[in-house]
Amino acid sequence: MAIRREVIYDYTFDEQKKFLGQDVERLDSVIRSAEWRVACHPEKCPKIPGTILRVVFTDPFPGIPPMRIFFSITDEAHCTMHWIEYLEDERNREFEDDIPF
């Protein structure tokens, strides 16, 4: 059984969420679903080469575009969400040359 980590949100994530919240319906539902994946199975999410970051993708459904969320495994008990953004195109699931910072 997977150990459930506590998920922490850093300042950049919170600011980006405020920005996106004006345009995305049910944004909190999207974040909660990604939070479950990050908390329970962070090692299964793709790692971005050359960084400590990992990425989790959300699927689109009515009123919510697909999203990409960058996070890191802070320690054995915590993960930190760093950034959330729209995933404009399915091709953007390849992220080697598309790191937002």
Side-chain angles (χ1 to χ4, degrees):
M1 186 169 149
I3 298 171
R4 185 171 171 87
R5 291 179 164 94
E6 179 181 359
V7 177
I8 301 165
Y9 297 91
D10 74 7
Y11 176 77
T12 56
F13 185 93
D14 288 337
E15 290 300 307
Q16 185 66 8
K17 178 184 169 191
K18 288 177 193 173
F19 176 73
L20 294 175
Q22 298 170 7
D23 299 320
V24 179
E25 298 172 21
R26 303 180 297 185
L27 180 60
D28 288 335
S29 297
V30 170
I31 293 170
R32 276 194 307 275
S33 67
E35 182 179 306
W36 177 87
R37 175 78 172 175
V38 169
C40 296
H41 303 287
E43 295 86 2
K44 292 184 179 179
C45 297
K47 189 171 182 186
I48 298 175
T51 72
I52 63 166
L53 296 176
R54 293 180 178 268
V55 64
V56 63
F57 298 99
T58 66
D59 293 324
F61 55 96
I64 300 178
M67 307 292 281
R68 174 169 53 187
I69 299 173
F70 294 94
F71 71 96
S72 61
I73 299 173
T74 310
D75 56 37
E76 291 296 317
H78 302 90
C79 288
T80 302
M81 300 279 225
H82 297 287
W83 188 258
I84 184 171
E85 62 188 9
Y86 295 117
L87 187 60
E88 307 263 334
D89 189 330
E90 277 299 306
R91 290 174 293 176
N92 284 338
R93 286 188 182 257
E94 297 297 324
F95 47 81
E96 289 186 22
D97 297 325
D98 189 27
I99 299 173
F101 37 84

